[in-house]
Each structure stands twice: as structure tokens, then as C-alpha cells.
Amino acid sequence: PVDYGRKVAEIAGMSIGQMVSLAIEHELRSRAEAGLRESEARFRALVEEGPLPMLVMSRPEGRVLYGNAAAAELIGVGADELIGELAPAFYRREEDRAAINEELARTGNVRNRELEVVSKDERVRWVMLNMHPMRVEGRDVLLAGVVDVTAQKQLENTLRHQALHDALTGLPNRVHFFDALT
């Protein structure tokens, strides 16, 4: 229980300067808290509605703790279905998982690692993966940002084929021959 008589006595014993100082301090704190709430809301909207897939995964097993809508779309599931999935299960090749774990152990993070992922509906996509370890609410996690580079990979393959094959016949050309010879 609050002793209001005592509170009034404390306030009455304050000087005008102390009361003004308390009022200013209260106003500044209120503004700072409002600014923090606005900043958090902007950040949340940026991550949740942003075009880049973002994941937060448990460490070391890689269980998805959070995934935004873009990540769920990439994997071909609803956002709520993504939670609890093992992210490495989406890697197309087992050696990618080993290489990522080795890079995490060696450097502490993963930078611009290209790999293939398979969605729930069996679509194969090329992605560029970046991972950074963090500590959130006392728990070790990995923050992963993913960029779908499937279109770029398809363009690379088309250009490589055009450079190494005859446009009319589709047969390997001289450049391809010398490449194979060396």
C-alpha cells in the first residue's frame, strides 16, 4: 500500500527546482521510451515485410526460431510452418552443410556462400547465404540473410553455354575444345 500522506510530504519538501527537474526527467524518459517503441516497430516491419529472406536459428543444430514471410515463401511453407524446421534440411547437398559448419568454426560467420536449397514443393533454388552468430535473450543463435540468385545462375549457365558452343549447331566450339584439351 502506498502512503499518500508521506508522498505529499516528500513532494512538499522539494524545492521548485527539484520539481521542475523531476518533471523534465520524466518527460525525457517518456520521449525516449516512445522513440524506442517507434524504432522497434520500424525495425520489425522492415524485417517482417522486407523482400529478403531472414532467419534466426538455434545454434548449433540450426532449428528455425524465426523466419520472415520472404523466407517462408522461399521454402514454400507458411510462416508458422517454418518455425521448428531444421534449416540444413533444405540444403540440396550434404557437403554444403559441412562447408558451412567448417566456415562457422573457422571464421565465426558465413559470407556470400552460394548453395542450392530445395523447397517443400521440390523447387531447387540457388541462394547466397550470410550468417552471423548473435546472443538473443541469453541464447546463442545464428542470424541468416538469404538472397535468391537463381536467375543470375541461370544467366551464367546460358552465357557459358553460348561461349562454348556453336550458335547454329549447338556443338562444342573451338574454345570448348581448347578448354577440354588443357
Side-chain angles (χ1 to χ4, degrees):
V2 177
D3 182 358
Y4 290 106
R6 188 170 154 201
K7 284 284 187 194
V8 170
E10 286 176 15
I11 292 171
M14 288 183 173
S15 70
I16 300 277
Q18 288 173 320
M19 284 189 226
V20 169
S21 176
L22 277 175
I24 291 172
E25 183 179 322
H26 176 71
E27 178 64 24
L28 290 175
R29 186 178 304 124
S30 296
R31 286 183 185 180
E33 288 171 356
L36 185 59
R37 282 191 300 273
E38 286 178 23
S39 176
E40 182 180 347
R42 278 193 306 270
F43 179 74
R44 183 174 301 281
L46 178 68
V47 170
E48 288 178 359
E49 303 303 324
L52 295 178
M54 302 280 295
L55 296 166
V56 175
M57 300 171 293
S58 62
R59 190 164 184 190
E61 66 274 2
R63 192 163 302 280
V64 177
L65 303 172
Y66 168 80
N68 66 0
E73 183 180 327
L74 179 72
I75 300 302
V77 298
D80 55 333
E81 297 173 273
L82 189 57
I83 308 303
E85 291 284 338
L86 282 172
F90 300 120
Y91 301 163
R92 185 166 189 207
R93 291 186 296 274
E94 182 65 34
E95 53 268 15
D96 288 334
R97 182 181 315 178
I100 287 169
N101 287 336
E102 186 274 326
E103 189 172 345
L104 277 170
R106 187 173 39 81
T107 66
N109 52 43
V110 175
R111 298 274 183 219
N112 301 327
R113 163 92 41 193
E114 288 184 356
L115 65 136
E116 288 179 292
V117 294
V118 180
S119 65
K120 289 284 188 173
D121 58 359
E122 304 295 320
R123 284 181 307 148
V124 176
R125 313 292 274 160
W126 275 97
V127 298
M128 183 181 301
L129 176 68
N130 285 280
M131 287 182 167
H132 184 74
M134 297 176 66
R135 192 150 180 86
V136 176
E137 298 174 355
R139 186 175 190 181
D140 288 331
V141 298
L142 287 169
L143 173 63
V146 182
V147 178
D148 186 348
V149 294
T150 305
Q152 290 89 329
K153 282 294 193 180
Q154 290 170 341
L155 180 59
E156 284 176 20
N157 290 337
T158 300
L159 292 174
R160 185 177 300 109
H161 185 270
Q162 289 174 351
L164 299 176
H165 293 80
D166 181 72
L168 183 61
T169 64
L171 295 172
N173 63 16
R174 188 181 347 199
V175 174
H176 188 273
F177 172 75
F178 285 120
D179 258 0
L181 190 61
T182 56

